[in-house]
Amino acid sequence: MFRGFLPNAAFKLIVLLIGLTVVYAETQFPLLNARIQRRIVNQEFVPDSQYQERRDTFRSRGSDYELERIVGQRGNLPSQFLLPTHVALDGDFIFVTDYGNRRIQKFYTNGEFLEILPLPDLIEPVQFQVYQDQYFVVDAGCPCIRVYNRNYEPLFVMGEAGVAPGKLNHPNSLVVDNRGMAWVADDKNNRIEIFSLEKVFNRPNHYFMNIDEYQPEVVLQAPRSMAWWPSKQEYFVVDAGTTKILVFDQDGNYIREVVRAGSESNRVVMPQALAIDEEGNLYIGDQIAQRVLKISGSGSEMGEIGYTSQFSEHLRLPPSQERQSALVRNSQFSPGDSILNFPLGLAVSPTGGLWVADWGNNQVKLFTVDYFRKGFEAYKQQQFALAIQYFNRCDLRNPGYHLVEFYLSMCHYYLGELEADFEKRLEWFQKARGYFESLNLKSKVDSFKDAWIERKALYYLARVKAVSTER
């Protein structure tokens, strides 16, 4: 049956290996040179210089996000929460405002507990922000804004109890722009109060102005949350009383109203929390749907985050196992784990991950779309089928962007198949060889400069040679 087939296949393999030897002589990365053969790729090729995975992540829909990490549980011990209201990011750290326990807790972004911040005079913290070398805490019990240095020493206080200009009634949110102007949302005074880190005009308590005294035609009803977009120098304010999101410039001038969340789907929403990413997409904590709505800068809906079973299948808790209590969970999720219960605090990481202070569940949750990173991690752990699944999803999000790790995983997967039938084994080998040939399309490998990648490529080349000489 194979008399005519095998000599022809052997000849083709010899030609292939000769070609591979030529490639090896040309470059330090055998089989991984950056020659582009458009006749093989029926899709537009996107050069690495024009593609950023982070931007691709920001353009992902809500359904693309997966629950990756859960930090904390109900309680008053370290790394436990009682009604967390806010989460703030600062490099490799996250700060969680633990409202019920009246404290701020600091963690690494992997969920490892670091410390409870020893902030003196703190009464009822509702939000925490980092600005340069200073910590800002919205203290609703004062009510005021407390400012500390990195050594947790008090620097000054902005605001005091009252309803007159420069006074606060129930502050709940704060953002600081690049000029050092602090905008404070006060839902009981129905206004935005603005303070300056430096005292000006001889006004006490760093008070600068109120939005309503500067623009009296702008009427706010219970402003709840705010976000600052540095690239456009704009403030976004959730006006809970009217369920609108209003936009102001850095001087306090009203600009526009964002298309009301839920208008495209004609459903009622109750926005409470707000975050914005580098692309200008808004993430809105909705207290009716108990989810996070993602809305583009133009106002179109991009889906929801926080619905049932929104995590990768390989992270699911096996039915036969009972989950152990843990303060940090990166797997063993059940369908209800991805459901949110009053998401009150939102923060977007530089890579596009969404952190949620899940108030009702007394947890902090991380949702991500980092398919490339997840696939690469799975590949290093030799979970090849999972790596292929993630890399395929990367390819779907940007069909022209080909990933070296995806093809290496496919090679390892197919070369690792053990088939007794030679014809079937040859079929697997032909698939692996096809992926090796496709490596000539890559332009990413030079950016890695990673000996690990080179060693893997050499290993797979040796495996191809080994398979070609069998039988």
Side-chain angles (χ1 to χ4, degrees), residues 94-105:
I94 61 173
F95 297 85
V96 181
T97 304
D98 189 3
Y99 173 77
N101 289 318
R102 300 192 174 187
R103 63 191 182 186
I104 308 294
Q105 298 196 60

Side-chain angles (χ1 to χ4, degrees), residues 98-118:
D98 189 3
Y99 173 77
N101 289 318
R102 300 192 174 187
R103 63 191 182 186
I104 308 294
Q105 298 196 60
K106 183 178 181 180
F107 300 80
Y108 288 109
T109 51
N110 64 6
E112 179 184 349
F113 173 75
L114 210 61
E115 64 176 334
I116 297 174
L117 302 191

Side-chain angles (χ1 to χ4, degrees), residues 400-413:
Y401 186 61
H402 299 279
L403 303 169
V404 172
E405 287 74 14
F406 165 66
Y407 288 93
L408 290 178
S409 294
M410 294 297 283
C411 291
H412 198 139
Y413 181 75

Side-chain angles (χ1 to χ4, degrees), residues 1-13:
M1 175 179 178
F2 302 112
R3 288 180 180 177
F5 173 76
L6 291 178
N8 187 35
F11 174 76
K12 291 182 178 180
L13 291 177

Side-chain angles (χ1 to χ4, degrees), residues 325-399:
S325 177
L327 294 175
V328 180
R329 275 194 283 133
N330 299 301
S331 63
Q332 292 194 324
F333 297 137
S334 61
D337 285 335
S338 52
I339 297 177
L340 301 174
N341 187 3
F342 288 95
L344 281 187
L346 306 175
V348 182
S349 71
T351 57
L354 178 67
W355 289 91
V356 182
D358 194 356
W359 185 85
N361 288 321
N362 296 295
Q363 296 170 331
V364 172
K365 297 178 179 177
L366 172 63
F367 293 85
T368 65
V369 196
D370 298 334
Y371 297 148
F372 174 80
R373 175 181 55 79
K374 294 176 182 179
F376 196 36
E377 290 174 352
Y379 175 54
K380 283 192 170 183
Q381 296 171 6
Q382 299 188 6
Q383 298 175 326
F384 303 114
L386 178 62
I388 291 169
Q389 173 189 347
Y390 274 124
F391 290 145
N392 267 325
R393 296 173 77 175
C394 288
D395 203 50
L396 290 173
R397 289 164 58 218
N398 189 340

